[in-house]
């Protein structure tokens, strides 16, 4: 098989790496890729947000399968443009990607599918939004309906902050069209777990649940980020049979509901769950793998990934088994530019990547890097994700931190507590 991967972050590096290990995959091409991906795949300088350009590239490259990594190309219709050319795609079309692109749409689908989620109000009238705040009480959760670059969700301790959040979206229009509709919802307390299902429109294969660290600083302090680290397995999820539960209670009903609306969901569906005292609840859906969750779940998959993703793309998952899972644990630590998720420098030289990659059990995934002549330099907020495999979460953590410690660049920041107290671990 020849596979084209669309995207160029840490998640796409992990996807390309997993595909190069897949026995049936002969070649991996990635657009636009990054310097790490360039070491294991052919890269093509195409803008992933330009659905026409992606389709044109795919027609020229003739891949057996296209795998779309990030949400933005999916929401922009890359999946549809590729399917229109008759090319098998692992990634939902724009209508299906609305489960991520519109929180109120996701809420409607969950209601129709009978999926356990936070009670909510959604609408466009600021006065009605204030009444919804009365209904739910603090902490208040106020969300822009659309994609707002991770800034559209506010969890507010006080009524005053919550009213500001309502007015920012509905009166001041801070989020533009993405915030023209607002969702106000019940606060869900408990650990968050990410569950990924490989979907073919009706059927699904669930991957081992992952825990991500969203806050910038140790102890879950500081601002929300794209994710500062992750680990897999999550002991609490394994004990509770969360993957099976999610397949039965979340994924299959959601796929059936979408199909009844004329939408076949093909690709990864990401369910963000909260393990509340009253049981698991769905916080949100995303139309893609998590980043950096992909950097810990993909290294644990054994077997032939390419044909499994192709079976999804063809709507033919029924004969495919769930992928075998490596019993080893995986932990990833994100190395970020100082200041992230706020303003940060780029173009800073990076040292030690080769040494880190040489640590047994370690994998170095590039996220925001580029070449400047012969030098590797930073090119974004999240620069690298260093994953470690080990016989226990603690051993995997030692590998990841041991390897990460060999990498240096000016301003490097990272959390020191990734996987230090896994949810549900004994002792
Ligand atoms: P989202 O973009 O919907 O994933 O929200 C970003 C983050 O805000 C989530 O990962 C949670 O940490 C937090 N959050 C969102 N909705 C809720 C909620 N209903 N209850 C508690 N925390 C929430
Ligand atoms: N790490 C969270 C996400 O990818 O949305």
């Amino acid at each position: 098989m020849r596979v084209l991967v669309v995207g160029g972050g840490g998640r796409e590096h992990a996807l390309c790496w997993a595909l190069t290990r897949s026995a049936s995959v002969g070649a991996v091409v990635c657009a636009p890729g990054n310097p790490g991906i360039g070491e294991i795949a052919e890269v093509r300088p195409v803008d992933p947000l330009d659905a026409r350009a992606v389709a044109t590239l795919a027609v020229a490259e003739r891949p057996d399968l296209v795998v779309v990594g990030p949400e933005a190309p999916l929401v922009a219709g890359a999946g549809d443009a590729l399917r229109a050319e008759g090319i098998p795609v692992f990634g939902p079309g724009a209508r299906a990607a609305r489960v991520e692109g519109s929180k109120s749409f996701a809420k409607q689908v969950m209601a129709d599918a009978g999926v356990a989620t936070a009670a909510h109000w959604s609408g466009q009238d600021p006065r009605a939004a204030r009444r919804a705040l009365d209904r739910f009480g603090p902490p208040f959760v106020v969300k822009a309906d659309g994609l707002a670059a991770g800034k559209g969700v506010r969890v507010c301790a006080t009524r005053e902050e919550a009213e500001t959040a309502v007015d920012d979206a509905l009166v001041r229009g801070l989020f533009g069209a993405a915030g023209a509709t607002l969702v106000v919802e019940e606060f869900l307390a408990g650990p968050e777990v990410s569950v990924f299902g490989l979907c073919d429109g009706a059927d699904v294969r669930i991957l081992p649940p992952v825990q991500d660290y969203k806050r910038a600083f140790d102890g879950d302090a500081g601002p929300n980020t794209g994710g500062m680290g992750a680990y897999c397995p999550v002991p609490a999820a394994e004990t509770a049979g969360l993957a099976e539960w999610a397949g039965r209670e979340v994924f299959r009903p959601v796929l059936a509901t979408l199909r009844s609306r004329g939408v076949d969901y093909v690709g990864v569906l990401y369910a963000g769950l909260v393990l509340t005292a009253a049981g698991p609840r769905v916080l949100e859906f995303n139309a893609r793998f998590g980043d950096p969750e992909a950097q810990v779940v993909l290294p644990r998959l054994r077997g032939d990934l390419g044909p499994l993703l192709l079976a999804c793309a063809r709507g033919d998952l029924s004969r495919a088994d769930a992928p075998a899972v490596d019993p080893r644990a995986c932990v990833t630590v994100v190395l970020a530019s100082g200041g992230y998720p706020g303003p940060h420098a780029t173009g800073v030289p990076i040292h030690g990547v080769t040494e880190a990659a040489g640590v047994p059990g370690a994998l170095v995934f590039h996220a925001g890097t580029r070449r400047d002549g012969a030098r590797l330099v930073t090119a974004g907020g999240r620069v690298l994700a260093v994953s470690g495999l080990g016989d226990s979460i603690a051993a995997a953590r030692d590998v990841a931190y041991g390897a990460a410690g060999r990498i240096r660049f000016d301003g490097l920041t990272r959390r020191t507590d990734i996987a230090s107290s896994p949810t549900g671990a004994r002792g």
Side-chain angles (χ1 to χ4, degrees):
M1 282 176 68
R2 191 173 161 77
V3 183
L4 170 63
V5 175
V6 177
R11 164 184 47 213
E12 289 74 35
H13 191 175
L15 275 166
C16 288
W17 173 84
L19 286 163
T20 58
R21 296 203 318 161
S22 170
S24 303
V25 175
V28 179
V29 181
C30 186
N34 65 36
I37 293 172
E39 289 171 12
I40 58 169
E42 300 166 45
V43 294
R44 303 282 184 266
V46 167
D47 176 4
L49 289 180
D50 183 343
R52 256 335 311 152
V54 169
T56 303
L57 174 72
V59 167
E61 294 283 346
R62 306 197 147 276
D64 300 290
L65 174 69
V66 180
V67 177
V68 183
E71 66 276 18
L74 295 166
V75 171
D80 305 297
L82 291 159
R83 277 187 201 96
E85 299 290 351
I87 298 166
V89 189
F90 183 77
R95 283 181 68 206
R98 284 184 71 212
V99 295
E100 171 161 2
S102 166
K103 293 185 191 293
S104 57
F105 175 72
K107 283 292 194 185
Q108 275 168 33
V109 170
M110 283 192 261
D112 290 357
V115 169
T117 182
H120 83 292
W121 168 91
S122 108
Q124 305 182 322
D125 173 25
R127 277 184 315 191
R130 284 202 178 78
R131 286 197 294 275
L133 296 176
D134 296 334
R135 197 171 124 209
F136 294 115
F140 302 95
V141 183
V142 179
K143 303 181 172 187
D145 181 64
L147 292 178
K151 298 188 173 64
V153 174
R154 296 223 199 132
V155 179
C156 311
T158 68
R159 172 85 193 200
E160 198 182 347
E161 276 177 75
E163 292 196 3
T164 306
V166 166
D167 289 348
D168 279 350
L170 295 181
V171 180
R172 288 183 278 275
L174 226 60
F175 305 109
T181 297
L182 210 60
V183 173
V184 175
E185 69 181 29
E186 173 195 5
F187 179 81
L188 298 176
E192 286 181 47
V193 177
S194 308
V195 183
F196 305 100
L198 309 178
C199 304
D200 80 344
D203 205 355
V204 61
R205 298 291 174 268
I206 308 287
L207 304 184
V210 180
Q211 186 135 47
D212 171 34
Y213 290 74
K214 290 211 162 73
R215 300 300 193 103
F217 309 132
D218 283 357
D220 292 330
N224 258 320
T225 71
M228 295 299 289
Y231 65 89
C232 179
V234 181
E238 302 298 313
T239 312
L242 193 69
E244 296 71 24
W245 177 87
R248 191 176 67 241
E249 302 291 335
V250 178
F251 286 86
R252 287 176 210 279
V254 162
L255 293 177
T257 297
L258 287 171
R259 182 162 272 190
S260 74
R261 295 176 173 223
V263 178
D264 273 9
Y265 192 100
V266 171
V268 183
L269 181 62
Y270 165 152
L273 307 181
V274 180
L275 309 181
T276 75
R281 299 279 183 276
V282 176
L283 196 60
E284 57 162 350
F285 289 119
N286 292 310
R288 51 171 175 85
F289 274 110
D291 185 341
E293 289 99 317
Q295 291 89 312
V296 291
V297 73
L298 294 172
R300 293 192 68 218
L301 300 186
R302 286 178 167 171
D304 211 359
L305 185 62
L308 184 61
L309 302 187
L310 183 59
C312 291
R314 288 191 171 138
D316 189 21
L317 203 47
S318 57
R319 276 165 305 176
D321 290 328
V325 176
D326 190 324
R328 288 178 299 169
C330 194
V331 171
T332 199
V333 178
V334 169
L335 308 186
S337 301
Y340 173 77
H344 51 264
T346 57
V348 177
I350 305 169
H351 307 282
V353 167
T354 311
E355 292 84 334
V359 171
L363 296 162
V364 179
F365 296 115
H366 290 230
T369 70
R370 66 180 167 81
R371 291 258 170 235
D372 178 12
R375 297 188 310 175
L376 184 69
V377 301
T378 64
R382 293 190 295 172
V383 176
L384 297 157
V386 183
S387 298
L389 284 159
D391 289 333
S392 62
I393 295 174
R397 177 173 198 275
D398 286 344
V399 173
Y401 273 106
R406 303 191 182 210
I407 297 175
R408 301 173 309 283
F409 56 84
D410 279 348
L412 183 157
T413 60
R414 58 176 161 93
R415 283 183 61 157
T416 66
D417 62 349
I418 305 301
S420 60
S421 49
T423 303
R426 283 191 212 91

